[in-house]
Amino acid sequence: MPLAMNHEVFITCAVTGAGGTQDRSPHVPRSPEEIAGSAIDAAKAGAAVVHCHVRDPETGAPARKKELYREVTDRIRSADVDVVLNLTAGMGGDLVFGAPEEPLPLRDGTDMASAEERVAHIAECRPEICTLDCGTMNFAEADYVMTNTPGMLRAMGGLMTELGVTPEIEAFDTGHLWFSSTLVDEGVLKAPALAQLCMGVPWGAPDDLNTFMAMVNNVPQGWAWSAFSLGRHQMAYVAASVLAGGNVRVGLEDNLWLGKGVLATNAQLVERAVCIIENMGARVIGPDEVRDRLGLTKRAPVA
């Protein structure tokens, strides 16, 4: 297929994530104050969208407490820089089985919540965007399964649509795009939708270019999309995504390094992405243009 390079690109910064990276870099933010501060710095560096998880402020372990999300969003909204808020709704679908010879009972780390509970912080904080992981998937951990059944996704997607929050479809393989397209056809999600192509996450779609283009070719016509890859391929995927017609995601959720032996900050990763995009002859767009393009509504939190 011919190249259809995107000449007006928005950058999403995935600020902290839910992985076990909190002790691998001093730049991975833990507390709401640190997460918001890192998101604000990323916005000042050129990110139009910040994608936020929250963590236990003491341990750095992933959390999903509404009060932590509320503090993060209030701090970002009161800052002297504008940015589109994108909160995760991926927590609450964790199954941890026992060893193969004794898979039950389920082990510590299992966290299965209702659809209403999984989006409670979205109703509380009213971001412009929240994520919807559109499939169940094995991760690298031996007995952990990220669980998102069709019924759960229909319920969560419907709640997001009712709240007026735009779901960002997290697609880890082509089947996830197939199902999300079905959600649009069913009227659960609005068209055109927004997708994030997640490359190189074990054991989803590998980050080779043939698989990447298969993912791109499965994004329905008219949808907006971004892409990222993990670790050392993060910046290569900035260029690949722009060339293929998409937007980009960088940040410490996916990659800790600026270069060999050099730990990055979120702002530095965004600055590097800006440089790549502009040197390709494209323009980095800001939050107001993103809202206009995606039909987003900026709201204050529910009091």
Side-chain angles (χ1 to χ4, degrees):
M1 62 177 291
L3 286 176
M5 177 175 160
N6 185 8
H7 291 275
E8 294 187 330
V9 180
F10 67 81
I11 299 171
T12 296
C13 181
V15 176
T16 190
T21 58
Q22 64 269 20
D23 297 319
R24 293 172 55 198
S25 170
H27 303 305
V28 175
R30 298 185 178 204
S31 70
E33 182 177 8
E34 291 171 346
I35 293 167
S38 194
I40 292 163
D41 289 344
K44 290 179 178 178
V49 182
V50 288
H51 169 59
C52 297
H53 293 244
V54 294
R55 293 176 177 265
D56 181 288
E58 299 300 322
T59 67
R64 54 182 180 86
K65 293 181 178 179
K66 287 193 294 183
E67 58 267 30
L68 297 177
Y69 279 106
R70 183 64 179 263
E71 183 177 347
V72 168
T73 56
D74 284 351
R75 286 179 177 275
I76 293 172
R77 283 178 166 132
S78 64
D80 59 350
V81 63
D82 187 26
V83 70
V84 173
L85 277 169
N86 176 340
L87 299 184
T88 185
M91 307 291 289
D94 303 319
L95 283 179
V96 182
F97 290 93
E101 61 272 13
E102 191 180 1
L104 296 176
L106 297 171
R107 300 306 197 251
D108 289 346
T110 295
D111 179 28
M112 293 295 294
S114 68
E116 291 80 4
E117 188 177 351
R118 290 181 69 174
V119 301
H121 62 293
I122 305 301
E124 170 86 8
C125 300
R126 297 298 177 95
E128 288 105 313
I129 300 170
C130 67
T131 60
L132 184 66
D133 296 338
C134 270
T136 293
M137 192 178 113
N138 296 324
F139 270 69
E141 294 88 345
D143 299 305
Y144 166 69
V145 180
M146 178 183 76
T147 309
N148 296 289
T149 66
M152 177 64 76
L153 291 171
R154 285 186 173 94
M156 290 178 65
L159 289 169
M160 293 169 185
T161 299
E162 288 176 11
L163 290 169
V165 177
T166 297
E168 180 185 74
I169 293 157
E170 306 299 292
F172 296 84
D173 218 332
T174 52
H176 299 179
L177 290 167
W178 183 8
F179 182 68
S180 60
S181 179
T182 299
L183 293 181
V184 171
D185 292 342
E186 293 173 351
V188 176
L189 305 183
K190 293 182 178 180
L194 170 65
Q196 182 73 251
L197 308 183
C198 309
M199 307 300 299
V201 179
W203 299 111
D207 63 1
D208 64 89
L209 287 177
N210 284 335
T211 304
F212 175 56
M213 289 311 301
M215 293 284 280
V216 171
N217 291 336
N218 274 277
V219 176
Q221 188 72 28
W223 288 22
W225 61 272
S226 297
F228 71 89
S229 185
L230 302 184
R232 62 191 179 91
H233 291 157
Q234 183 174 83
M235 292 303 161
Y237 263 77
V238 170
S241 186
V242 173
L243 279 173
N247 302 286
V248 306
R249 169 171 141 172
V250 296
L252 295 178
E253 177 171 352
D254 309 319
N255 167 49
L256 299 178
W257 302 96
L258 191 65
K260 187 174 182 179
V262 181
L263 289 167
T265 66
N266 278 309
Q268 288 173 326
L269 293 172
V270 172
E271 288 167 355
R272 179 69 59 82
V274 169
C275 183
I276 292 169
I277 293 164
E278 292 182 342
N279 281 335
M280 293 174 70
R283 181 173 70 89
V284 176
I285 67 173
D288 281 339
E289 288 179 273
V290 171
R291 292 187 185 102
D292 183 63
R293 179 175 298 183
L294 302 181
L296 304 177
T297 301
K298 183 177 181 179
R299 298 183 180 88
V302 176

